[in-house]
Amino acid sequence: MSWLHLFILLPLLFAVIIPILYKKIAKIHTGWFVLVVPLSIFVYLLMFLPMIAGGETAMYALPWIPAFNIDISFYVDGLGLVFGLIISGIGTLVVLYSIYYLDKAREALHNFYVYLMIFMTAMLGVVFSDNLIVLYLFWELTSISSFLLIAYWYARRQSRYGAQKAMLITIFGGFSLLAAIIMLGIMGDTFSIRELISQGGQLVQHPLFIPAMILLLIGAFTKSAQFPFHIWLPDAMEAPTPISAYLHSATMVKAGIYLVARFTPLFGGTMEWFWIVTGVGLLTLFWGALLAVKQRDLKALLAFSTISQLGLIMSLLGMGSAALYYGEGELADLHSMAVLAAVFHLLNHATFKGSLFMVVGIVDHETGTRDIRKLGGLMSIMPISFTLALIGSLSMAGLPPFNGFLSKELFFTGTLNAASLDIFRMETYGFLIPVIAWVASVFTFIYSLILVFKTFFGNYQPERLEKEAHEAPWGMLLPPAILALFVVVIFFVPNVLGEYVLEPMMASILPTLAGQFDFHIEAWHGFEPELFMTIALVALGIILYLTLKKWIGLYNHMPRVLTITNAYNSGLKGMESISRKITNAHMTGFSRDYLRYIFLIFVLVVGASLFLLDGFSFDTGNVAHINMFEIILSLVLVGATAMVVFTRSRLAAVICVGVLGYIVALFFVVLRAPDLALTQLAIETVTVALFLVCFYHLPRLRQKEEGDGFNVINMLIAGAVGTLVTLVALSANGHRLFPAISEYYLDAYELAGAANMVNAILADFRALDTLLEIFVLCIAGLGVFALVKVRLARREKNENQ
Amino acid sequence: MEILMSVLAGILFTAGTYLVLAKSLIRIVLGTAIIGHGALLLLLTMGGIKTGAPPLLGLESASYTDPLPQALILTAIVINFGTLGFFLVLSYRSYQELGTDDMEELRGTEDE
């Protein structure tokens, strides 16, 4: 147990006392107590920075289940630490923001902060875990806490729908990840990520390499809302805005990015990884940007924007993995630029998107709506919010002087580098990458303008707003202001981050190049193609924004049936109706049908295994002789049996069953079993008497006694069962492997002092059977007594009358 | 003799299965009784039918029939009787309470 363990588990431990604080100290907003937790984690994690910058890493292990190689081992390197700082840093700001956002009197604050603290531990656990099983544990904990947070206002139908959708999709991905983890465990015989990476070269040859890669990527893509699993994110916007800002822009959705980055050293450098990660990333980038333009709800717009930007980071990680193909040298350095762009944009996105969500939350909080058709003209009423929104949006659009510009330029550099690749069949399709990226950036520019201009410019429409708009309190403005400050500061001094943040992150993603990164991020890098791309996109973006009214209608032509959400909904409905149909088709409630299934499966399984294992054998050598008496008995038996089946009269059937029983008793006589014959005769008599008593007391509901009519299917099933029993009996007869143990009982007189061997067995050698058989009879007798005597239902009815 | 007994057991199983698949509760009870008889014959046959004296030591015979299957069958007969008796009374009571012996009408409620 190290300090790191303690700090990662601190939110979870603190969650225990949150309800107590909420109840006992009701005067102070619970959030103020909670604020201490992420802040202290942030400060603690900052202390690791110098060590990480020096190229060192640290490992803290705590045995959990040593027998299965499962330890709670936390590993601190550049990637994990920066994620940890983002989680705790933005966590602090979000808690501060939520203190002003959530009303003390009206909201169930204890629930909110408990879920949030669970989430924080889970997320820190994901990014620091070195053991894959522990990582999976925390991974699912993020899904569960996110589910709880989305449905925080559980009385709303949309919240519950969004939470269920997010749950189903991310848990689906989680199971896929678990499968990948198990495969990795089989491949490398360890669950430690570091040990797996250290044997990377040999694992490429393993047949499970590609399946594990694909399953892991499905897990990462579902969590990070990549196409086509992005559909849960817009519906998760039903969560309170601090949650949307924290989970659905800065932290949880980056868990998939983290996973891809973490496993790049293992899987990177292969063609499959390059194409899947880059391709899905670009598709998500393009699709998210395209759909964001169409949104009318500010949070939905930001959700699609997040999807798009996550796609951007994902595609950069894919492109950067080409550096591992080269290992070292000039080409490796060239392609490592994409990884630099990815980690840089990851940071930038966390700053400006968190800030934008909080500003949108402020607008929602102060005006009562998030619909851009109702908003407008808020610039002079909410000047600070407007400034923050402008900074965030322009950074998102990729304009100077904001950090988004720098990472967008690096993104273009990365795509141009990738287009020049001559491996992985890139020579054929490579040119597409910059084209798609550029078109997506145009749309990004448009929706960034929509976000800020439609909200803050234009006419103020107080009659359409639910509240009179006014500026937010400072506590709500402070967190987005801090983030916006980062947006601007990073633009002017990007290289401060270099040594302490970006380089260690790149060293984790591309370990073969660690220590030799040589980069210098500059806002001005001369008249390079990237700059012309930016100028062209700004020009086209402005033109398209000004003519927005003319072409926005095109979106309405997109058929609703073809959307992925529609496919999800109808898929869910379809599965329900199909399973209902299947259940209704075979669960008829009619015992005959169930018995038919049972008999059929019995015949098929036993018959097929006998047939397949060649178990039939008919040995006629060792059979006893048949005498006349036995033949006559057999004929009578067959006749009586036929009578039972075919007679229409129940009485005749009962009597025939009696005859059957007596014949069996006679068989016992013939086959020299006197005790059996005695018992059988006595019992058959009693049974027939019982049957007759039952008949005597039958209510005369249906005077007409009718048979069932001949049923062919039943007859076939019955015939099959009977034939199979005969075949099994005959085959068993032919398979006598060793002699019986009955010789032992011949000594019954010496052993037990009994001349009757059967009785000696029953009462001496195997007396336990007899004891329990007596119990059976007792219980049956008591049961009969209870059935006849106890009549609760009728008595209640009488009392009611 | 074993072959004959095996065929007889098969016939009893056929008849019992057919009755168990019937609609009327009383026929199902009869079917279980018949399957029970079939099982008894099967047990006896499987023990091997040797012509020898009954398993009573006082007879001073050279060979005896196998006593173990007989002991097993005796146990089986008694248990068979216990369950059959309970089953009969149960079906008799369900006639009384529910007024029908048609399994198709005894399907339980819709919401089960």
Side-chain angles (χ1 to χ4, degrees), chain A residues 272-335:
Chain A
E272 293 84 1
W273 180 264
F274 178 88
W275 271 110
I276 298 174
V277 178
T278 313
V280 172
L282 281 174
L283 186 61
T284 314
L285 164 67
F286 179 75
W287 189 248
L290 194 68
L291 287 184
V293 174
K294 168 190 163 184
Q295 304 305 320
R296 295 281 162 270
D297 178 356
L298 286 175
K299 275 179 94 174
L301 188 150
L302 285 178
F304 278 104
S305 151
T306 303
I307 290 167
S308 165
Q309 305 274 313
L310 291 169
L312 186 155
I313 300 170
M314 195 66 89
S315 69
L316 280 169
L317 283 174
M319 289 182 240
S321 71
L324 286 169
Y325 178 83
Y326 295 109
E328 277 180 53
E330 208 174 303
L331 280 170
D333 287 341
L334 186 69
H335 293 294

Side-chain angles (χ1 to χ4, degrees), chain A residues 592 650 672 701-702 742, chain B residues 21 23 52 66 93 99 101:
Chain A
R592 173 198 276 177
R650 286 173 181 165
R672 293 175 184 80
L701 292 170
R702 278 189 293 178
S742 306
Chain B
L21 289 172
K23 272 190 212 162
D66 194 338
R93 288 285 295 129
D101 76 326

Side-chain angles (χ1 to χ4, degrees), chain A residues 588-592 595-596 599 620 623-626 630 634 637-638 641 644-645 647 650 653 657 660-661 667-668 671-673 676 679-680 683-684 686-687 690-691 694-695 697-698 701-702 708-711 714-715 718-719 721-722 725-726 729-730 733 736 740 742 746 749 754-758 761-762 773 777 780 783-784 787 791 794, chain B residues 1-8 10-15 17-24 26-27 29-30 33-34 37 40-42 44-49 51-58 64-68 70-75 77-79 81-82 84-86 88-90 92-93 95-97 99-104 106-107:
Chain A
T588 54
F590 187 17
S591 65
R592 173 198 276 177
L595 285 167
R596 278 179 176 173
F599 283 128
T620 49
V623 295
H625 288 291
I626 309 173
E630 288 154 356
S634 304
L637 187 82
V638 173
T641 313
V644 180
V645 175
T647 182
R650 286 173 181 165
V657 170
L660 263 180
F667 264 113
F668 290 148
L671 297 173
R672 293 175 184 80
L676 296 191
T679 320
Q680 177 68 17
I683 277 183
E684 199 54 42
V686 179
T687 310
L690 258 175
F691 267 112
C694 265
F695 273 86
H697 284 287
L698 271 192
L701 292 170
R702 278 189 293 178
D708 258 1
F710 188 70
N711 190 316
N714 290 353
M715 199 63 230
V721 170
V725 168
T726 305
L730 290 174
N733 232 1
R736 289 195 185 282
S742 306
L746 290 178
Y749 196 77
N756 185 332
M757 285 186 256
V758 175
I761 291 172
L762 284 174
E773 166 196 336
L777 267 190
V784 168
L787 269 178
R791 302 195 176 180
R794 185 170 295 172
Chain B
M1 184 69 202
E2 277 91 344
I3 296 169
L4 177 70
M5 292 292 274
S6 298
V7 172
L8 284 182
I11 290 170
L12 286 176
F13 266 88
T14 307
T17 309
Y18 184 77
L19 287 174
V20 162
L21 289 172
K23 272 190 212 162
S24 145
I26 195 78
R27 288 174 82 85
V29 181
L30 288 173
I34 292 177
H37 290 319
L40 297 182
L41 286 190
L42 208 54
L44 199 65
T45 316
M46 294 292 96
I49 300 168
T51 39
L56 300 169
L57 286 169
Y64 296 98
T65 51
D66 194 338
L68 195 56
Q70 296 194 9
L72 297 182
I73 291 168
L74 199 60
T75 311
I77 291 174
V78 176
I79 292 177
F81 168 70
L84 193 67
F86 182 77
L88 260 175
V89 176
L90 188 66
Y92 159 66
R93 288 285 295 129
Y95 277 129
Q96 279 191 329
E97 293 291 325
T100 179
D101 76 326
D102 189 343
M103 288 309 287
E104 207 160 354
L106 295 171
R107 287 194 188 203

Side-chain angles (χ1 to χ4, degrees), chain A residues 394-628:
Chain A
L394 295 185
S395 179
M396 184 160 73
L399 291 185
F402 306 109
N403 59 5
F405 173 72
L406 301 175
S407 44
K408 181 138 291 180
E409 297 291 286
L410 279 171
F411 168 55
F412 285 151
T413 313
T415 58
L416 290 172
N417 287 342
S420 68
L421 272 174
D422 55 0
I423 50 168
F424 306 149
R425 301 206 195 111
M426 279 294 289
E427 56 273 25
T428 332
Y429 304 107
F431 73 95
L432 279 174
I433 292 181
V435 174
I436 296 172
W438 187 79
V439 174
S441 299
V442 173
F443 280 101
T444 307
F445 187 82
I446 297 169
Y447 72 68
S448 303
L449 291 188
I450 290 177
L451 174 69
V452 66
F453 281 86
K454 297 268 177 192
T455 313
F456 292 98
F457 286 82
N459 301 320
Y460 179 48
Q461 303 160 302
E463 71 282 356
R464 302 183 71 173
L465 299 180
E466 287 173 25
K467 300 176 188 173
E468 199 181 336
H470 57 81
E471 188 58 280
W474 69 270
M476 257 171 126
L477 288 169
L478 186 65
I482 292 171
L483 289 173
L485 191 69
F486 273 108
V487 171
V488 181
V489 168
I490 291 174
F491 175 78
F492 287 107
V493 282
N495 292 304
V496 177
L497 289 174
E499 191 191 340
Y500 281 96
V501 175
L502 301 180
E503 250 186 74
M505 282 180 93
M506 287 178 73
S508 307
I509 300 172
L510 305 171
T512 52
L513 292 168
Q516 19 175 324
F517 300 109
D518 178 30
F519 58 81
H520 191 68
I521 304 168
E522 282 176 287
W524 176 255
H525 42 68
F527 291 101
E528 295 289 330
E530 294 91 325
L531 186 67
F532 294 116
M533 283 170 85
T534 307
I535 292 169
L537 92 82
V538 170
L540 186 64
I542 290 175
I543 294 168
L544 283 176
Y545 177 73
L546 293 176
T547 56
L548 191 63
K549 280 200 179 114
K550 295 202 174 105
W551 57 270
I552 194 85
L554 285 177
Y555 278 108
N556 299 333
H557 294 293
M558 204 172 84
R560 277 191 63 82
V561 189
L562 290 181
T563 57
I564 298 165
T565 296
N566 187 66
Y568 164 85
N569 287 337
S570 50
L572 216 56
K573 249 185 235 159
M575 280 198 285
E576 275 172 17
S577 72
I578 288 171
S579 51
R580 181 177 295 264
K581 267 180 205 154
I582 291 173
T583 309
N584 284 349
H586 73 280
M587 299 304 285
T588 54
F590 187 17
S591 65
R592 173 198 276 177
D593 291 331
Y594 304 148
L595 285 167
R596 278 179 176 173
Y597 307 147
I598 294 168
F599 283 128
L600 272 178
I601 288 168
F602 163 71
V603 169
L604 288 177
V605 170
V606 178
S609 49
L610 262 183
F611 185 73
L612 291 175
L613 300 173
D614 208 18
F616 296 111
S617 93
F618 304 108
D619 181 11
T620 49
N622 196 23
V623 295
H625 288 291
I626 309 173
N627 61 30
M628 196 59 198

